């Protein structure tokens, strides 16, 4: 690890000023310190934001609001989260380990970096780490990589579990920077790799995530997160699905679906949702709709299995909601 300085800030304004001058914010440090140890990230100056008043979890009318510094474990265990948005709690519990969840913040989770092995190997070609160097994964070890939203320049999946749930639930986020505050859908935080995979998110220079807001609604109650992985815990998703159903009078009024482990960003499945809406909540209907999930997918040499695993995971996730006959 290279030498660095660290300072604490106690106000949002001080954090924004520091971030605007090129200093790196640090919350739980479970992504950043890891990468600094491997010298993949080499910031010279860190700004510790843990003293900022951004840890609150609260209910605002029917919305659930989660501060950016709330810890994954605290969010997952919070009674209002479990009552109003069990999908969020479930997606958090499925991630990382108890020790990591105690340290890791929601804001940091959304900005965590990819788990592609070549990203962490300093001698491997990786456009995300070293723009213009190539992508070792395209013709290399790509069993865990993406089949949706890839480019010739990068095929890494977005690793966050809770981001998939937030995208399914139409969550928004509030950020603040030198130009003031703004809010936008969490889904718009993540960029596709295109030919600039080193640019991963849409935050402007100096912007700080303040909170995420999850609107309440009938979808929240029948919502489940299913994560398929190589081992039962402490592993990233091969495929995951956040599925929500609103069923009334024998008809699916609304379906929500986002998937992880397959896209270069958390992937909302609008075509599957549309194919379910207005139909009977029947297993065969869901199976047919789930096939639409892989339309346009671009499998790599090592991950054709995701073409089959993804639809199966979607069907199982909808079954888990209890809304499918
Ligand atoms: C072994 C291991 C296994 C893991 N498994 C999973 C898993 O299965 N599922 C999963 O979802 N995650 C997993 N993770 C990732 C983990 O959830 C993230 O590392 C964690 O959530 C990051 O939060 P943090 O507070 O530690 O972020 P930090 O490391 O402190 O920061 C990460 C990035 O976010 C920026 N940042 C932090 N807070 C803010 C803010 N408020 N505003 C603007 N920028 C900010 C930092 O500058 C930095 O660039 C795993 C991590 C490890 C090490
Ligand atoms: S997939 Fe992306 S992160 Fe992995 S080597 Fe290629 S450019 Fe780097």
């Amino acid at each position: 690890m290279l030498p660095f300085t660290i300072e604490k800030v106690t106000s949002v304004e001080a954090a924004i000023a520091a971030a605007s001058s090129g200093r790196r914010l640090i919350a739980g440090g479970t992504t950043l310190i890891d990468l600094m140890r491997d010298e993949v990230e080499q910031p010279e100056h860190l700004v510790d934001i843990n003293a900022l008043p951004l840890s609150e979890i609260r209910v605002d009318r029917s919305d659930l609001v989660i501060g950016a510094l709330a810890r994954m474990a605290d969010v997952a265990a919070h009674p209002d989260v479990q009552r109003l948005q069990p999908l969020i709690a479930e997606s958090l519990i499925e991630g990382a380990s108890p020790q990591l969840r105690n340290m890791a913040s929601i804001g940091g989770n959304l900005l965590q970096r990819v788990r592609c092995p070549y990203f962490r190997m300093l001698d491997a070609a990786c456009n995300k780490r070293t723009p213009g160097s190539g992508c070792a994964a395209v013709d290399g070890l790509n069993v865990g990589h993406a089949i949706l939203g890839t480019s010739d320049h990068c095929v890494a999946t977005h690793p966050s579990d809770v981001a998939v749930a937030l995208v399914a639930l139409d969550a928004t986020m509030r950020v603040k920077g030198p130009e003031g505050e703004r809010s936008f859908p969490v889904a718009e935080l993540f960029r596709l790799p295109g030919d600039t995979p080193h640019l991963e998110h849409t935050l402007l220079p100096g912007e700080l995530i303040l909170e995420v807001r999850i609107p309440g609604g009938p979808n929240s109650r029948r919502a489940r997160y299913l994560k398929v992985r190589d081992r039962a815990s402490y592993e990233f998703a091969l495929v995951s699905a956040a599925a929500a159903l609103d069923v009334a009078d024998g008809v699916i009024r609304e379906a929500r679906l986002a998937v992880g482990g397959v896209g270069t960003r958390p992937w909302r499945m609008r075509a599957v949702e549309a194919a379910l809406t207005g139909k009977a909540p029947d297993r065969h209907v869901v199976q047919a709709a789930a096939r639409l999930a892989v339309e346009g997918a671009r499998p790599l040499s090592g991950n054709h299995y995701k073409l089959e695993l993804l639809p199966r995971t979607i069907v199982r996730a909808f079954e888990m909601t209890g809304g499918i006959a």
Side-chain angles (χ1 to χ4, degrees):
M1 189 188 267
L2 301 175
F4 62 93
T5 68
I6 185 160
E7 67 180 291
K8 269 183 190 270
V9 288
T10 53
S11 74
V12 165
E13 287 67 32
I16 292 168
S20 304
S21 69
R23 290 163 190 249
R24 275 304 281 285
L25 305 178
I26 183 164
T30 61
T31 284
L32 189 53
I33 296 292
D34 220 18
L35 292 169
M36 287 169 65
R37 229 183 264 127
D38 291 342
E39 298 184 10
V40 175
E41 299 242 34
Q42 303 183 353
E44 292 177 7
H45 304 291
L46 298 184
V47 177
D48 179 345
I49 58 173
N50 288 298
L52 303 184
L54 298 176
S55 300
E56 195 186 9
I57 301 164
R58 68 180 202 280
V59 179
D60 178 15
R61 292 180 298 274
S62 63
D63 293 357
L64 181 70
V65 184
I66 302 172
L69 286 171
R71 267 36 198 185
M72 288 171 69
D74 295 335
V75 179
H78 198 283
D80 287 333
V81 178
Q82 295 186 352
R83 182 172 56 88
L84 294 173
Q85 299 291 355
L87 179 63
I88 296 298
E90 192 170 28
S91 68
L92 287 166
I93 287 294
E94 292 289 296
S97 65
Q99 293 90 337
L100 283 159
R101 293 196 294 270
N102 282 337
M103 290 289 291
S105 68
I106 292 295
N109 185 299
L110 296 176
L111 294 178
Q112 65 177 290
R113 307 211 61 196
V114 294
R115 308 306 293 193
C116 171
Y118 300 111
F119 178 63
R120 284 157 197 265
M121 290 179 201
L122 294 184
D123 55 351
C126 174
N127 287 320
K128 197 176 270 298
R129 176 177 25 78
T130 313
S133 62
C135 172
V138 167
D139 295 316
L141 187 67
N142 50 38
V143 72
H145 287 67
I147 56 173
L148 297 168
T150 57
S151 73
D152 293 342
H153 304 276
C154 183
V155 292
T157 57
H158 193 277
S160 168
D161 288 298
V162 73
V164 177
L166 290 170
V167 166
L169 294 169
D170 282 333
T172 58
M173 56 198 294
R174 193 160 65 88
V175 305
K176 187 169 184 180
E179 306 300 322
E181 279 187 30
R182 63 190 180 108
S183 294
F184 54 90
V186 170
E188 291 177 11
L189 176 67
F190 311 104
R191 287 176 186 266
L192 290 174
D195 56 7
T196 54
H198 58 292
L199 303 177
E200 295 177 333
H201 58 74
T202 56
L203 291 185
L204 301 172
E207 274 186 335
L208 178 76
I209 302 174
L210 301 178
E211 63 186 27
V212 297
R213 176 177 286 263
I214 306 146
N219 266 309
S220 311
R221 287 190 288 278
R222 275 207 171 143
R224 293 297 301 270
Y225 187 71
L226 175 61
K227 180 172 178 179
V228 180
R229 46 192 159 166
D230 278 336
R231 57 183 176 193
S233 72
Y234 200 27
E235 189 56 275
F236 288 88
L238 294 172
V239 174
S240 69
L245 269 189
D246 177 18
V247 179
D249 302 326
V251 172
I252 299 173
R253 285 203 303 205
E254 194 187 13
R256 300 275 188 95
L257 177 67
V259 296
V262 288
T264 50
R265 61 185 182 191
W267 209 265
R268 186 80 181 259
M269 287 283 166
R270 300 276 184 195
V272 179
E273 293 175 355
L276 290 173
T277 306
K279 304 275 172 47
D282 173 86
R283 186 167 209 269
H284 300 294
V285 170
V286 180
Q287 281 173 332
R291 301 302 322 170
L292 300 174
V294 291
E295 276 191 0
R298 292 205 321 169
L300 301 155
S301 56
N303 67 7
H304 279 255
Y305 71 95
K306 291 193 179 186
L307 295 178
E308 191 55 39
L309 187 58
L310 175 58
R312 284 173 185 244
T313 304
I314 291 170
V315 173
R316 184 80 192 106
F318 276 118
E319 284 178 341
M320 283 165 56
T321 66
I324 300 297

